[in-house]
Amino acid sequence: PVGDDLSKIVTILSSNLLLWIPLSLLLYVLALLFSPSRIRAVDIFATNLFAMLPTIVILGVLSVPSKWLGGLGDVYKRQGYNLIVILLSVSMAWSMVWGCFAYLVSANMKGWRGISIFVICYVFVSVVNQLLIAYSK
């Protein structure tokens, strides 16, 4: 059981690293190209990691009760899974909004240009990650 919990923690952290590192790198390069100011890599990387914390924490916290759902009845299991999906959706939306605002500040961008860059990069990196995971199996 302790090995299972450790395995889940490693999986959560590694999957978030697969999103954080390429996303931050891509955002940094585009900030260098499109920002009117001098950009520091540490600002982009740190604010993106900090923005992902709600999702990382929620995934970690919810990994414990998710294994308890298997022993419950069908009605409670369905309600438990629905609650987990709602909490994960809220934390992911929160992380994206927080990450976008953090990017706008750390890249010194205003308006739709910065928002568009962030959203396009986030979607691109997420899709590439999912494709890599799917084809690596």
Side-chain angles (χ1 to χ4, degrees):
V2 172
D4 291 341
D5 292 339
L6 186 60
S7 168
K8 285 183 181 182
I9 291 170
V10 169
T11 301
I12 290 167
L13 292 176
S14 63
S15 63
N16 282 289
L17 279 176
L18 284 175
L19 178 63
W20 170 63
I21 292 172
L23 176 63
S24 297
L25 187 61
L26 187 58
L27 288 172
Y28 175 65
V29 169
L30 291 175
L32 288 175
L33 294 174
F34 292 107
S35 177
S37 302
R38 187 169 168 234
I39 306 301
R40 296 182 325 167
V42 69
D43 292 337
I44 302 288
F45 280 79
T47 56
N48 274 307
L49 181 61
F50 192 66
M52 289 181 171
L53 283 178
T55 302
I56 293 170
V57 169
I58 292 292
L59 283 169
V61 168
L62 291 179
S63 67
V64 174
S66 67
K67 59 184 170 184
W68 297 335
L69 290 176
L72 297 175
D74 286 338
V75 172
Y76 294 117
K77 189 185 300 186
R78 197 169 335 139
Q79 290 174 346
Y81 283 128
N82 288 340
L83 179 62
I84 288 173
V85 167
I86 290 169
L87 288 173
L88 282 173
S89 299
V90 167
S91 72
M92 287 171 56
W94 181 14
S95 289
M96 276 195 71
V97 169
W98 202 3
C100 186
F101 286 130
Y103 178 67
L104 293 175
V105 170
S106 60
N108 194 23
M109 288 191 192
K110 294 181 178 130
W112 288 104
R113 176 192 281 182
I115 294 170
S116 301
I117 289 171
F118 181 84
V119 170
I120 290 168
C121 289
Y122 196 96
V123 170
F124 176 75
V125 170
S126 296
V127 168
V128 168
N129 278 343
Q130 292 304 315
L131 290 173
L132 288 174
I133 290 169
Y135 287 118
S136 69
K137 291 183 179 183

